[in-house]
Amino acid sequence: MPTRHIGILGAGVIGLSTALAILEDDPDTFVTVVAKDVPQVTGLSMSDPTASAQAQPRRHPAEYASAWAGGHHVSDAKNAQELRHDRVTFERMKMLTERKPWLSHPGGSTVSPAIGASTLTNASPLDSRPMSQGAEPLVWVHQTELFEGHGKNGKEQYEGVLDWYPDFQATPKSALPNGIVAGCTFSTLDINVPVYHGWLLRRMLELGGRVSIGEARSLADAISTATCGSSSAGGRVLSLAPSKWQAAGKVDALIVSPGLGARKIIGVEDDKVHPHRGQVVVVHAPWFKVPPSSMQARHTLPGYSIVRAQGGRETYIIPRGDGTVICGGTRLVNNWSPQPDEDTTSAILQRCLRLAPHLANPAKCTPLTEPRISDLDVLAVNVGLRPARTGGVRLEHGPDVDGTKIVFNYGYGGWGYQASWGAALDAKQLVEAALSGSSVRNSRQPNFSKFTHTGSRRQKTKKTTMPDQLSQRPDPVTSFALNTPLFNKLGGRRVVLASSSPRRQEILASIGLRPEIVPSTFEEDLPKSEFTGEAVYEYPVQTGAKKRENPEDPPDLVIGADTVVVQDEVIMEKPLDAQDNLRMLAELNGKKCEVISGVTVIWPVLEAPGFKIRSICEKTVVRFADNPHYLLQAYVDSREGIDRAGGFAIQGRASLLIKSIEGDFNNVVGFPLFSFSSFLHEMIENEELDFEDEDL
């Protein structure tokens, strides 16, 4: 089988993490990153003669937000997918701190700090000092989170979002400062962004990947550039093994992670993407340590954040472990200004000094005076335009371009670093699914067999989940879905539709739900003669229920459905042939029929027998016009009604035969969307649909 060639558009933290995830899994895969900007890396011995220009410092624009990020792993997840991404990334970063792969390569952590949308001050002789010399990409910190408001439903904002971090402790109310209603501490990782971002690129190149530096104006342009190694306009190529690429073929799949470029790249042109302007101040403070009073701290570096009552961290302090500290910040929506603002700089430093006075240079202040901004050793003021997206992240398949599979993976805003590995693994799985032509399965699939009988109750058996197993399938809830309890509940879960009907798939996709398709093996052979009179309403319910029985690997939620057409209390079959189709339409002509759908859902619970089943039934009345014979014959000749219950498809040309309907149009097409969503919303409100496996 030919080796696959994967292209990645964008060299931000999402793009480079995805490239590295693919190469670590299969180093033989050809991976080409196409990007206008790349992190600055020194110390590499490039075989490609065009790479020598990489040794020169490059001015990064503010739009290249990954170069300017503050970089701490503190989750701000709003749904299950975001939390899963954050947790997968944290576990991966924790593993990296244990293995320290950057130490196995000489100079592996020596990264030249980028020069760009920043203001360098003359206040300190340290300005020209390489800030990242000898620094670690990831450092452990003792994190303190302070909240100006409570969370929803009587909970604190940290509950379910931060309480999974190591060493988590809620702060006693008596220890909270004025204006703060809740707080917590825990251990987490801060990211030295220039070092870590550069290491991602270095490692990707060492594993055999390459980078084509240049601007792609369209997806077709990106595919061509990735295939050829450079654009028609030229451009530099970074590679440690250029001879390897003589065997590379056309790009099989392109992962699109272009940051703010998603707004204008032809083939993407996503006007939902917009900047969240961030401004931070880099301070030199090697004396900045956890105060002696924090006896419970396991780590010497302190991190701080204040979360506003309405959410969002406007004030944060992020030590990088190399003597520098990031003080932030701002999040200005739709603000495109790339230049630092002096008033904003002063406000940031004042807030951070109030939060942590020991940031000030002890040689400049005395115990008798309050620390002042002038007591800080300011190195730089940086501005980055974070690529956010209205409606959330776009992580899904796109239409093919020139025979190349497309996967979109962008819109992470200010959470790119903390979500990077989870997002990368999801994108990788989407590519594998697209190239194999199958749906993506999750190796961490909830299974009813994880419950073992102990009398009339069932107990969970403990299981070990590897971080990369948490992200083996795309989220069934797409970015198109509304922000409602239903979609928040289903986010990150394995939802299965036990039907291969493309119409049901399209109906669910129209509201942002893309379940995994596992067609039922149940033969629809219940004797219809037993379902007459009022009993016809039971036939689709029982058939839908049968479709969900005994799945090989039971997921979090199975949806089974069946639809029948009934006239005069008799179930109409699918036509045997064109003549039978004409007979059916003649019977319906000028009359009415009922389209009845049954939907059954099943999900695991602790109580015996280990799962619950609920069903609904929906009826829609369809009134046919008194159509002339030639119109009926023309419809039969189109063969649209063959293999359709009742011999017609209302969403197609049969709409010319139908005068009116009473009820849900989607129900006639094949799935009662309104009743189904109302049904699930009601179960969630009544706390009936409660997944027991809440360990995302």
PDB file of all heavy atoms in Angstrom, residues 538-573:
ATOM      1  N   GLU A 538     -47.805   0.489  16.954  1.00  0.00           N
ATOM      2  CA  GLU A 538     -46.781  -0.233  17.696  1.00  0.00           C
ATOM      3  C   GLU A 538     -45.707  -0.814  16.786  1.00  0.00           C
ATOM      4  O   GLU A 538     -44.603  -1.108  17.231  1.00  0.00           O
ATOM      5  CB  GLU A 538     -47.423  -1.375  18.501  1.00  0.00           C
ATOM      6  CG  GLU A 538     -48.234  -0.907  19.689  1.00  0.00           C
ATOM      7  CD  GLU A 538     -47.354  -0.169  20.680  1.00  0.00           C
ATOM      8  OE1 GLU A 538     -46.230  -0.634  20.950  1.00  0.00           O
ATOM      9  OE2 GLU A 538     -47.778   0.892  21.167  1.00  0.00           O
ATOM     10  N   TYR A 539     -46.024  -0.984  15.499  1.00  0.00           N
ATOM     11  CA  TYR A 539     -45.061  -1.645  14.611  1.00  0.00           C
ATOM     12  C   TYR A 539     -43.736  -0.878  14.503  1.00  0.00           C
ATOM     13  O   TYR A 539     -42.665  -1.459  14.722  1.00  0.00           O
ATOM     14  CB  TYR A 539     -45.667  -1.852  13.218  1.00  0.00           C
ATOM     15  CG  TYR A 539     -44.695  -2.519  12.270  1.00  0.00           C
ATOM     16  CD1 TYR A 539     -44.569  -3.900  12.245  1.00  0.00           C
ATOM     17  CD2 TYR A 539     -43.878  -1.762  11.434  1.00  0.00           C
ATOM     18  CE1 TYR A 539     -43.663  -4.518  11.396  1.00  0.00           C
ATOM     19  CE2 TYR A 539     -42.959  -2.367  10.591  1.00  0.00           C
ATOM     20  CZ  TYR A 539     -42.862  -3.745  10.571  1.00  0.00           C
ATOM     21  OH  TYR A 539     -41.955  -4.345   9.746  1.00  0.00           O
ATOM     22  N   PRO A 540     -43.744   0.421  14.162  1.00  0.00           N
ATOM     23  CA  PRO A 540     -42.450   1.117  14.055  1.00  0.00           C
ATOM     24  C   PRO A 540     -41.725   1.212  15.386  1.00  0.00           C
ATOM     25  O   PRO A 540     -40.489   1.218  15.424  1.00  0.00           O
ATOM     26  CB  PRO A 540     -42.827   2.499  13.517  1.00  0.00           C
ATOM     27  CG  PRO A 540     -44.257   2.680  13.898  1.00  0.00           C
ATOM     28  CD  PRO A 540     -44.869   1.316  13.828  1.00  0.00           C
ATOM     29  N   VAL A 541     -42.473   1.285  16.493  1.00  0.00           N
ATOM     30  CA  VAL A 541     -41.826   1.348  17.806  1.00  0.00           C
ATOM     31  C   VAL A 541     -41.095   0.045  18.091  1.00  0.00           C
ATOM     32  O   VAL A 541     -39.926   0.033  18.500  1.00  0.00           O
ATOM     33  CB  VAL A 541     -42.868   1.646  18.905  1.00  0.00           C
ATOM     34  CG1 VAL A 541     -42.218   1.545  20.285  1.00  0.00           C
ATOM     35  CG2 VAL A 541     -43.470   3.027  18.704  1.00  0.00           C
ATOM     36  N   GLN A 542     -41.760  -1.089  17.862  1.00  0.00           N
ATOM     37  CA  GLN A 542     -41.127  -2.373  18.136  1.00  0.00           C
ATOM     38  C   GLN A 542     -39.969  -2.639  17.178  1.00  0.00           C
ATOM     39  O   GLN A 542     -38.938  -3.191  17.569  1.00  0.00           O
ATOM     40  CB  GLN A 542     -42.161  -3.498  18.049  1.00  0.00           C
ATOM     41  CG  GLN A 542     -43.179  -3.471  19.180  1.00  0.00           C
ATOM     42  CD  GLN A 542     -43.950  -4.772  19.287  1.00  0.00           C
ATOM     43  OE1 GLN A 542     -43.460  -5.829  18.907  1.00  0.00           O
ATOM     44  NE2 GLN A 542     -45.165  -4.685  19.814  1.00  0.00           N
ATOM     45  N   THR A 543     -40.129  -2.240  15.911  1.00  0.00           N
ATOM     46  CA  THR A 543     -39.037  -2.433  14.958  1.00  0.00           C
ATOM     47  C   THR A 543     -37.834  -1.579  15.341  1.00  0.00           C
ATOM     48  O   THR A 543     -36.687  -2.038  15.314  1.00  0.00           O
ATOM     49  CB  THR A 543     -39.497  -2.074  13.531  1.00  0.00           C
ATOM     50  OG1 THR A 543     -40.621  -2.889  13.192  1.00  0.00           O
ATOM     51  CG2 THR A 543     -38.379  -2.317  12.533  1.00  0.00           C
ATOM     52  N   GLY A 544     -38.087  -0.315  15.711  1.00  0.00           N
ATOM     53  CA  GLY A 544     -36.990   0.543  16.148  1.00  0.00           C
ATOM     54  C   GLY A 544     -36.299   0.000  17.373  1.00  0.00           C
ATOM     55  O   GLY A 544     -35.081   0.070  17.512  1.00  0.00           O
ATOM     56  N   ALA A 545     -37.085  -0.584  18.295  1.00  0.00           N
ATOM     57  CA  ALA A 545     -36.500  -1.162  19.504  1.00  0.00           C
ATOM     58  C   ALA A 545     -35.645  -2.376  19.174  1.00  0.00           C
ATOM     59  O   ALA A 545     -34.577  -2.586  19.755  1.00  0.00           O
ATOM     60  CB  ALA A 545     -37.606  -1.539  20.482  1.00  0.00           C
ATOM     61  N   LYS A 546     -36.103  -3.202  18.226  1.00  0.00           N
ATOM     62  CA  LYS A 546     -35.331  -4.385  17.847  1.00  0.00           C
ATOM     63  C   LYS A 546     -33.986  -3.997  17.244  1.00  0.00           C
ATOM     64  O   LYS A 546     -32.996  -4.708  17.388  1.00  0.00           O
ATOM     65  CB  LYS A 546     -36.118  -5.222  16.838  1.00  0.00           C
ATOM     66  CG  LYS A 546     -37.353  -5.903  17.419  1.00  0.00           C
ATOM     67  CD  LYS A 546     -36.986  -7.038  18.338  1.00  0.00           C
ATOM     68  CE  LYS A 546     -38.225  -7.763  18.846  1.00  0.00           C
ATOM     69  NZ  LYS A 546     -37.878  -8.860  19.784  1.00  0.00           N
ATOM     70  N   LYS A 547     -33.937  -2.863  16.573  1.00  0.00           N
ATOM     71  CA  LYS A 547     -32.701  -2.456  15.905  1.00  0.00           C
ATOM     72  C   LYS A 547     -31.588  -2.135  16.886  1.00  0.00           C
ATOM     73  O   LYS A 547     -30.429  -2.081  16.513  1.00  0.00           O
ATOM     74  CB  LYS A 547     -32.964  -1.232  15.017  1.00  0.00           C
ATOM     75  CG  LYS A 547     -33.774  -1.550  13.770  1.00  0.00           C
ATOM     76  CD  LYS A 547     -33.954  -0.313  12.912  1.00  0.00           C
ATOM     77  CE  LYS A 547     -34.706  -0.645  11.632  1.00  0.00           C
ATOM     78  NZ  LYS A 547     -34.868   0.533  10.766  1.00  0.00           N
ATOM     79  N   ARG A 548     -31.933  -1.913  18.135  1.00  0.00           N
ATOM     80  CA  ARG A 548     -30.886  -1.555  19.084  1.00  0.00           C
ATOM     81  C   ARG A 548     -30.456  -2.737  19.939  1.00  0.00           C
ATOM     82  O   ARG A 548     -29.602  -2.602  20.797  1.00  0.00           O
ATOM     83  CB  ARG A 548     -31.342  -0.412  19.982  1.00  0.00           C
ATOM     84  CG  ARG A 548     -32.599  -0.686  20.806  1.00  0.00           C
ATOM     85  CD  ARG A 548     -32.319  -1.395  22.119  1.00  0.00           C
ATOM     86  NE  ARG A 548     -33.490  -2.113  22.561  1.00  0.00           N
ATOM     87  CZ  ARG A 548     -33.432  -3.203  23.301  1.00  0.00           C
ATOM     88  NH1 ARG A 548     -32.279  -3.734  23.626  1.00  0.00           N
ATOM     89  NH2 ARG A 548     -34.524  -3.794  23.697  1.00  0.00           N
ATOM     90  N   GLU A 549     -31.031  -3.912  19.754  1.00  0.00           N
ATOM     91  CA  GLU A 549     -30.716  -5.026  20.640  1.00  0.00           C
ATOM     92  C   GLU A 549     -29.310  -5.561  20.409  1.00  0.00           C
ATOM     93  O   GLU A 549     -28.854  -5.684  19.273  1.00  0.00           O
ATOM     94  CB  GLU A 549     -31.718  -6.167  20.435  1.00  0.00           C
ATOM     95  CG  GLU A 549     -33.059  -5.906  21.100  1.00  0.00           C
ATOM     96  CD  GLU A 549     -33.970  -7.109  21.010  1.00  0.00           C
ATOM     97  OE1 GLU A 549     -33.606  -8.091  20.348  1.00  0.00           O
ATOM     98  OE2 GLU A 549     -35.039  -7.053  21.605  1.00  0.00           O
ATOM     99  N   ASN A 550     -28.642  -5.898  21.503  1.00  0.00           N
ATOM    100  CA  ASN A 550     -27.366  -6.605  21.495  1.00  0.00           C
ATOM    101  C   ASN A 550     -26.302  -5.988  20.593  1.00  0.00           C
ATOM    102  O   ASN A 550     -25.713  -6.667  19.760  1.00  0.00           O
ATOM    103  CB  ASN A 550     -27.586  -8.067  21.070  1.00  0.00           C
ATOM    104  CG  ASN A 550     -28.514  -8.781  22.022  1.00  0.00           C
ATOM    105  OD1 ASN A 550     -28.442  -8.578  23.234  1.00  0.00           O
ATOM    106  ND2 ASN A 550     -29.399  -9.600  21.477  1.00  0.00           N
ATOM    107  N   PRO A 551     -26.022  -4.684  20.709  1.00  0.00           N
ATOM    108  CA  PRO A 551     -24.906  -4.145  19.940  1.00  0.00           C
ATOM    109  C   PRO A 551     -23.609  -4.778  20.405  1.00  0.00           C
ATOM    110  O   PRO A 551     -23.441  -5.088  21.572  1.00  0.00           O
ATOM    111  CB  PRO A 551     -24.940  -2.642  20.271  1.00  0.00           C
ATOM    112  CG  PRO A 551     -25.665  -2.560  21.576  1.00  0.00           C
ATOM    113  CD  PRO A 551     -26.636  -3.691  21.601  1.00  0.00           C
ATOM    114  N   GLU A 552     -22.670  -4.984  19.487  1.00  0.00           N
ATOM    115  CA  GLU A 552     -21.432  -5.672  19.841  1.00  0.00           C
ATOM    116  C   GLU A 552     -20.623  -4.891  20.864  1.00  0.00           C
ATOM    117  O   GLU A 552     -19.958  -5.466  21.707  1.00  0.00           O
ATOM    118  CB  GLU A 552     -20.597  -5.894  18.575  1.00  0.00           C
ATOM    119  CG  GLU A 552     -21.227  -6.878  17.607  1.00  0.00           C
ATOM    120  CD  GLU A 552     -20.349  -7.075  16.391  1.00  0.00           C
ATOM    121  OE1 GLU A 552     -19.264  -6.462  16.347  1.00  0.00           O
ATOM    122  OE2 GLU A 552     -20.731  -7.832  15.503  1.00  0.00           O
ATOM    123  N   ASP A 553     -20.673  -3.578  20.766  1.00  0.00           N
ATOM    124  CA  ASP A 553     -19.889  -2.754  21.684  1.00  0.00           C
ATOM    125  C   ASP A 553     -20.758  -1.583  22.107  1.00  0.00           C
ATOM    126  O   ASP A 553     -20.682  -0.508  21.538  1.00  0.00           O
ATOM    127  CB  ASP A 553     -18.620  -2.264  20.983  1.00  0.00           C
ATOM    128  CG  ASP A 553     -17.613  -1.730  21.984  1.00  0.00           C
ATOM    129  OD1 ASP A 553     -17.918  -1.725  23.185  1.00  0.00           O
ATOM    130  OD2 ASP A 553     -16.528  -1.329  21.549  1.00  0.00           O
ATOM    131  N   PRO A 554     -21.624  -1.762  23.097  1.00  0.00           N
ATOM    132  CA  PRO A 554     -22.648  -0.767  23.402  1.00  0.00           C
ATOM    133  C   PRO A 554     -22.062   0.601  23.701  1.00  0.00           C
ATOM    134  O   PRO A 554     -21.145   0.731  24.499  1.00  0.00           O
ATOM    135  CB  PRO A 554     -23.332  -1.355  24.645  1.00  0.00           C
ATOM    136  CG  PRO A 554     -23.069  -2.818  24.563  1.00  0.00           C
ATOM    137  CD  PRO A 554     -21.706  -2.935  23.969  1.00  0.00           C
ATOM    138  N   PRO A 555     -22.582   1.636  23.071  1.00  0.00           N
ATOM    139  CA  PRO A 555     -22.090   2.993  23.272  1.00  0.00           C
ATOM    140  C   PRO A 555     -22.849   3.719  24.375  1.00  0.00           C
ATOM    141  O   PRO A 555     -23.598   3.116  25.142  1.00  0.00           O
ATOM    142  CB  PRO A 555     -22.326   3.631  21.908  1.00  0.00           C
ATOM    143  CG  PRO A 555     -23.491   2.893  21.353  1.00  0.00           C
ATOM    144  CD  PRO A 555     -23.493   1.518  21.955  1.00  0.00           C
ATOM    145  N   ASP A 556     -22.654   5.034  24.455  1.00  0.00           N
ATOM    146  CA  ASP A 556     -23.347   5.825  25.464  1.00  0.00           C
ATOM    147  C   ASP A 556     -24.830   5.970  25.155  1.00  0.00           C
ATOM    148  O   ASP A 556     -25.653   6.031  26.057  1.00  0.00           O
ATOM    149  CB  ASP A 556     -22.719   7.221  25.555  1.00  0.00           C
ATOM    150  CG  ASP A 556     -21.315   7.176  26.114  1.00  0.00           C
ATOM    151  OD1 ASP A 556     -21.157   6.716  27.250  1.00  0.00           O
ATOM    152  OD2 ASP A 556     -20.379   7.588  25.420  1.00  0.00           O
ATOM    153  N   LEU A 557     -25.157   6.079  23.887  1.00  0.00           N
ATOM    154  CA  LEU A 557     -26.554   6.247  23.493  1.00  0.00           C
ATOM    155  C   LEU A 557     -26.748   5.624  22.117  1.00  0.00           C
ATOM    156  O   LEU A 557     -26.004   5.924  21.189  1.00  0.00           O
ATOM    157  CB  LEU A 557     -26.926   7.735  23.445  1.00  0.00           C
ATOM    158  CG  LEU A 557     -28.408   8.044  23.189  1.00  0.00           C
ATOM    159  CD1 LEU A 557     -29.239   7.704  24.424  1.00  0.00           C
ATOM    160  CD2 LEU A 557     -28.599   9.512  22.825  1.00  0.00           C
ATOM    161  N   VAL A 558     -27.749   4.737  22.014  1.00  0.00           N
ATOM    162  CA  VAL A 558     -28.112   4.134  20.730  1.00  0.00           C
ATOM    163  C   VAL A 558     -29.478   4.664  20.327  1.00  0.00           C
ATOM    164  O   VAL A 558     -30.399   4.717  21.142  1.00  0.00           O
ATOM    165  CB  VAL A 558     -28.162   2.594  20.816  1.00  0.00           C
ATOM    166  CG1 VAL A 558     -28.537   1.992  19.463  1.00  0.00           C
ATOM    167  CG2 VAL A 558     -26.831   2.041  21.276  1.00  0.00           C
ATOM    168  N   ILE A 559     -29.584   5.064  19.063  1.00  0.00           N
ATOM    169  CA  ILE A 559     -30.853   5.549  18.519  1.00  0.00           C
ATOM    170  C   ILE A 559     -31.314   4.558  17.458  1.00  0.00           C
ATOM    171  O   ILE A 559     -30.616   4.323  16.467  1.00  0.00           O
ATOM    172  CB  ILE A 559     -30.694   6.944  17.889  1.00  0.00           C
ATOM    173  CG1 ILE A 559     -30.095   7.929  18.893  1.00  0.00           C
ATOM    174  CG2 ILE A 559     -32.031   7.448  17.363  1.00  0.00           C
ATOM    175  CD1 ILE A 559     -29.621   9.223  18.258  1.00  0.00           C
ATOM    176  N   GLY A 560     -32.465   3.951  17.679  1.00  0.00           N
ATOM    177  CA  GLY A 560     -33.069   3.073  16.687  1.00  0.00           C
ATOM    178  C   GLY A 560     -34.352   3.702  16.177  1.00  0.00           C
ATOM    179  O   GLY A 560     -35.080   4.344  16.943  1.00  0.00           O
ATOM    180  N   ALA A 561     -34.639   3.565  14.894  1.00  0.00           N
ATOM    181  CA  ALA A 561     -35.825   4.208  14.331  1.00  0.00           C
ATOM    182  C   ALA A 561     -36.389   3.381  13.193  1.00  0.00           C
ATOM    183  O   ALA A 561     -35.663   2.650  12.514  1.00  0.00           O
ATOM    184  CB  ALA A 561     -35.485   5.616  13.841  1.00  0.00           C
ATOM    185  N   ASP A 562     -37.694   3.516  12.992  1.00  0.00           N
ATOM    186  CA  ASP A 562     -38.345   2.901  11.845  1.00  0.00           C
ATOM    187  C   ASP A 562     -39.557   3.745  11.477  1.00  0.00           C
ATOM    188  O   ASP A 562     -40.184   4.367  12.351  1.00  0.00           O
ATOM    189  CB  ASP A 562     -38.779   1.468  12.146  1.00  0.00           C
ATOM    190  CG  ASP A 562     -39.207   0.733  10.879  1.00  0.00           C
ATOM    191  OD1 ASP A 562     -38.358   0.607   9.974  1.00  0.00           O
ATOM    192  OD2 ASP A 562     -40.374   0.317  10.791  1.00  0.00           O
ATOM    193  N   THR A 563     -39.865   3.798  10.189  1.00  0.00           N
ATOM    194  CA  THR A 563     -40.979   4.597   9.684  1.00  0.00           C
ATOM    195  C   THR A 563     -41.838   3.738   8.762  1.00  0.00           C
ATOM    196  O   THR A 563     -41.301   3.005   7.921  1.00  0.00           O
ATOM    197  CB  THR A 563     -40.464   5.834   8.924  1.00  0.00           C
ATOM    198  OG1 THR A 563     -39.658   6.622   9.800  1.00  0.00           O
ATOM    199  CG2 THR A 563     -41.619   6.678   8.408  1.00  0.00           C
ATOM    200  N   VAL A 564     -43.149   3.833   8.929  1.00  0.00           N
ATOM    201  CA  VAL A 564     -44.071   3.103   8.055  1.00  0.00           C
ATOM    202  C   VAL A 564     -45.135   4.057   7.529  1.00  0.00           C
ATOM    203  O   VAL A 564     -45.392   5.118   8.120  1.00  0.00           O
ATOM    204  CB  VAL A 564     -44.752   1.928   8.790  1.00  0.00           C
ATOM    205  CG1 VAL A 564     -43.735   0.894   9.216  1.00  0.00           C
ATOM    206  CG2 VAL A 564     -45.566   2.421   9.981  1.00  0.00           C
ATOM    207  N   VAL A 565     -45.729   3.666   6.406  1.00  0.00           N
ATOM    208  CA  VAL A 565     -46.850   4.401   5.824  1.00  0.00           C
ATOM    209  C   VAL A 565     -48.101   3.546   6.007  1.00  0.00           C
ATOM    210  O   VAL A 565     -48.091   2.344   5.706  1.00  0.00           O
ATOM    211  CB  VAL A 565     -46.606   4.698   4.332  1.00  0.00           C
ATOM    212  CG1 VAL A 565     -47.816   5.399   3.719  1.00  0.00           C
ATOM    213  CG2 VAL A 565     -45.350   5.555   4.163  1.00  0.00           C
ATOM    214  N   VAL A 566     -49.157   4.166   6.521  1.00  0.00           N
ATOM    215  CA  VAL A 566     -50.384   3.436   6.846  1.00  0.00           C
ATOM    216  C   VAL A 566     -51.559   4.077   6.114  1.00  0.00           C
ATOM    217  O   VAL A 566     -51.725   5.308   6.137  1.00  0.00           O
ATOM    218  CB  VAL A 566     -50.646   3.448   8.366  1.00  0.00           C
ATOM    219  CG1 VAL A 566     -51.974   2.759   8.686  1.00  0.00           C
ATOM    220  CG2 VAL A 566     -49.502   2.779   9.106  1.00  0.00           C
ATOM    221  N   GLN A 567     -52.369   3.250   5.455  1.00  0.00           N
ATOM    222  CA  GLN A 567     -53.619   3.717   4.851  1.00  0.00           C
ATOM    223  C   GLN A 567     -54.737   2.771   5.271  1.00  0.00           C
ATOM    224  O   GLN A 567     -54.604   1.546   5.140  1.00  0.00           O
ATOM    225  CB  GLN A 567     -53.520   3.768   3.325  1.00  0.00           C
ATOM    226  CG  GLN A 567     -54.759   4.412   2.692  1.00  0.00           C
ATOM    227  CD  GLN A 567     -54.711   4.385   1.179  1.00  0.00           C
ATOM    228  OE1 GLN A 567     -54.295   3.389   0.593  1.00  0.00           O
ATOM    229  NE2 GLN A 567     -55.135   5.471   0.552  1.00  0.00           N
ATOM    230  N   ASP A 568     -55.794   3.360   5.777  1.00  0.00           N
ATOM    231  CA  ASP A 568     -56.937   2.569   6.243  1.00  0.00           C
ATOM    232  C   ASP A 568     -56.490   1.500   7.239  1.00  0.00           C
ATOM    233  O   ASP A 568     -56.917   0.331   7.166  1.00  0.00           O
ATOM    234  CB  ASP A 568     -57.672   1.927   5.059  1.00  0.00           C
ATOM    235  CG  ASP A 568     -58.264   2.969   4.111  1.00  0.00           C
ATOM    236  OD1 ASP A 568     -58.613   4.065   4.596  1.00  0.00           O
ATOM    237  OD2 ASP A 568     -58.342   2.688   2.904  1.00  0.00           O
ATOM    238  N   GLU A 569     -55.597   1.881   8.147  1.00  0.00           N
ATOM    239  CA  GLU A 569     -55.116   1.029   9.237  1.00  0.00           C
ATOM    240  C   GLU A 569     -54.362  -0.204   8.748  1.00  0.00           C
ATOM    241  O   GLU A 569     -54.252  -1.204   9.457  1.00  0.00           O
ATOM    242  CB  GLU A 569     -56.279   0.610  10.145  1.00  0.00           C
ATOM    243  CG  GLU A 569     -56.972   1.796  10.808  1.00  0.00           C
ATOM    244  CD  GLU A 569     -58.054   1.370  11.776  1.00  0.00           C
ATOM    245  OE1 GLU A 569     -58.454   0.186  11.738  1.00  0.00           O
ATOM    246  OE2 GLU A 569     -58.489   2.218  12.568  1.00  0.00           O
ATOM    247  N   VAL A 570     -53.808  -0.116   7.534  1.00  0.00           N
ATOM    248  CA  VAL A 570     -53.003  -1.204   6.981  1.00  0.00           C
ATOM    249  C   VAL A 570     -51.635  -0.639   6.607  1.00  0.00           C
ATOM    250  O   VAL A 570     -51.543   0.407   5.949  1.00  0.00           O
ATOM    251  CB  VAL A 570     -53.665  -1.841   5.745  1.00  0.00           C
ATOM    252  CG1 VAL A 570     -52.745  -2.901   5.134  1.00  0.00           C
ATOM    253  CG2 VAL A 570     -55.001  -2.457   6.123  1.00  0.00           C
ATOM    254  N   ILE A 571     -50.576  -1.332   7.023  1.00  0.00           N
ATOM    255  CA  ILE A 571     -49.214  -0.881   6.730  1.00  0.00           C
ATOM    256  C   ILE A 571     -48.892  -1.156   5.265  1.00  0.00           C
ATOM    257  O   ILE A 571     -49.055  -2.280   4.775  1.00  0.00           O
ATOM    258  CB  ILE A 571     -48.201  -1.596   7.641  1.00  0.00           C
ATOM    259  CG1 ILE A 571     -48.460  -1.230   9.108  1.00  0.00           C
ATOM    260  CG2 ILE A 571     -46.770  -1.233   7.247  1.00  0.00           C
ATOM    261  CD1 ILE A 571     -47.604  -2.005  10.088  1.00  0.00           C
ATOM    262  N   MET A 572     -48.423  -0.115   4.571  1.00  0.00           N
ATOM    263  CA  MET A 572     -48.053  -0.250   3.167  1.00  0.00           C
ATOM    264  C   MET A 572     -46.586  -0.653   3.065  1.00  0.00           C
ATOM    265  O   MET A 572     -45.712  -0.051   3.702  1.00  0.00           O
ATOM    266  CB  MET A 572     -48.288   1.066   2.414  1.00  0.00           C
ATOM    267  CG  MET A 572     -49.732   1.545   2.446  1.00  0.00           C
ATOM    268  SD  MET A 572     -50.001   3.035   1.458  1.00  0.00           S
ATOM    269  CE  MET A 572     -49.891   2.354  -0.202  1.00  0.00           C
ATOM    270  N   GLU A 573     -46.311  -1.656   2.260  1.00  0.00           N
ATOM    271  CA  GLU A 573     -44.946  -2.120   2.057  1.00  0.00           C
ATOM    272  C   GLU A 573     -44.223  -1.211   1.062  1.00  0.00           C
ATOM    273  O   GLU A 573     -44.804  -0.280   0.498  1.00  0.00           O
ATOM    274  CB  GLU A 573     -44.968  -3.557   1.508  1.00  0.00           C
ATOM    275  CG  GLU A 573     -45.674  -4.552   2.398  1.00  0.00           C
ATOM    276  CD  GLU A 573     -44.795  -5.040   3.525  1.00  0.00           C
ATOM    277  OE1 GLU A 573     -43.641  -4.575   3.624  1.00  0.00           O
ATOM    278  OE2 GLU A 573     -45.249  -5.897   4.302  1.00  0.00           O
TER     279      GLU A 573
END
